[in-house]
Amino acid sequence: MKQEFDPTLFDEALTPEARRALQAVLDEDPALAAAFERWRRVRIALRAHLEARVPDRHLLVLYALARGGRADVLEPGERAALEAAREDLDRALAAHPALHDVIRRIQADADAFEAVWEARSAPARPRRAARGPAERPARPPRRRTVQRWSWRVGAVAAVTLFAVVLTLLVQRERGMVTLRTGPGEVRLVELAGGSTVRLMGGSELTYADPTRGGPPHRRARLRGRAFFDIAPDGEGFTVETPVALATVLGTRFGVQAGEAETEVVLVTGRLALAPRSVQERLVVLEPGQMSRVAAGALPSTPVPVDLTAALDWTGLFLFRATPLPEVLERLSDHYGVPVTHAPALAGEAISGTFEQDQALPEILETLAAALGAEVRPAGNGWRLER
């Protein structure tokens, strides 16, 4: 890629002065500014996907050194960590061929370091006599002005390159559907690939149209509240909110996404949550944990939560290895009917999901079938017996 495009395409490393100049160019050209914003979103999504695939970049360096014939420089602990992650790294390289360029770059840097080290370790050569003032070569003229204007021209010329990216994005957006729910409305949305979303009232979801052919887009945009049930297929799925990115494999999780804050509660699977502004500063949630991202802030440290209480807004009972007495107490409180159990069932645990508007006897029959028990009337309530 030509260097004059770099300040526009990869603006993270710009100085404050150069960033202000770039913003001035964007302010003068709305088409370029819109394309630049779309390109920024592409980079965010790709980076989040790579972070999910390769969360520990140190392992990628070890992988490159080992493949480059330098496995002998690794410590025993590094070799063990690399061996444990090798299958994941192989899958990441298969999914992202550009990572091979990263591997080659690491190997090239290692070669350059060794060359410099050997040169520095070689016997010193006699110094040449110092040159007189007349012998010193003249300094080249300063190129600051030329460089400044070359990248400004390059920024405008980059519209052509952005147009290609923009065309691809527009084609992709044509295959997207935006669904909005009214207050109190709940919609069950079927995504491509067998995944589903329970979209709560007053929310907006943009997702790939499952009726169109071709591979499913593994992403969605959310404003509001939704419960995601993502079918595993070996590829990551990214949910974009106004302030955060949540990237997962096959998993179930709830998202509350406002303009200023996003809250994520993970039920099953594994999830990486990051601010949109600094995607590399992510946290990884384990099942039963919750984290929040506020605008301009890093994600909060994941903490364990009561899933049913934290996700009560979904209209679901969500149990994950929950002791049976706690499950029955929750059902009793919700339905206003006493539900008890035989002492022999006290040590059982329940994992499952039920609609909160489902009839109580139906839920109890499902629980009884899973426990090898029976549901019997008990006064004005119910009792599970074995």
Side-chain angles (χ1 to χ4, degrees), residues 297-315:
L298 299 180
S300 63
T301 301
V303 295
V305 293
D306 180 323
L307 291 177
T308 296
L311 294 171
D312 183 67
W313 53 266
T314 64

Side-chain angles (χ1 to χ4, degrees), residues 114-281:
E114 289 184 356
V116 172
W117 183 267
E118 291 176 2
R120 296 284 293 179
S121 302
R125 297 180 180 178
R127 292 185 178 181
R128 296 182 179 180
R131 294 177 176 176
E135 298 178 276
R136 294 177 182 171
R139 293 184 177 180
R142 298 182 69 182
R143 299 179 58 194
R144 184 174 180 181
T145 302
V146 175
Q147 289 175 344
R148 183 177 70 243
W149 285 106
S150 69
W151 80 254
R152 278 175 172 267
V153 173
V156 177
V159 173
T160 303
L161 180 59
F162 277 136
V164 176
V165 177
L166 185 58
T167 299
L168 295 175
L169 288 171
V170 168
Q171 290 175 349
R172 183 182 67 183
E173 293 295 330
R174 287 175 180 167
M176 305 298 284
V177 175
T178 296
L179 179 64
R180 299 176 180 86
T181 53
E185 181 184 7
V186 178
R187 297 281 296 273
L188 185 62
V189 184
E190 294 186 2
L191 305 183
S195 300
T196 61
V197 181
R198 185 182 179 89
L199 189 65
M200 309 308 292
S203 301
E204 177 182 298
L205 178 72
T206 299
Y207 61 100
D209 185 350
T211 65
R212 297 175 66 94
H217 294 304
R218 302 288 293 179
R219 70 183 184 95
R221 293 195 298 271
L222 173 69
R223 280 180 170 80
R225 302 186 298 175
F227 183 77
F228 291 81
D229 191 341
I230 303 302
D233 71 347
E235 294 292 328
F237 187 97
T238 298
V239 178
E240 177 184 344
T241 75
V243 299
L245 293 173
T247 301
V248 300
L249 295 177
T251 188
R252 306 175 72 223
F253 59 103
V255 181
Q256 297 189 79
E259 294 297 327
E261 183 179 83
T262 292
E263 177 183 292
V264 177
V265 177
L266 181 62
V267 179
T268 61
R270 202 159 180 262
L271 183 148
L273 180 64
R276 288 182 54 178
S277 55
V278 279
Q279 303 83 32
E280 64 276 9
R281 301 297 298 274

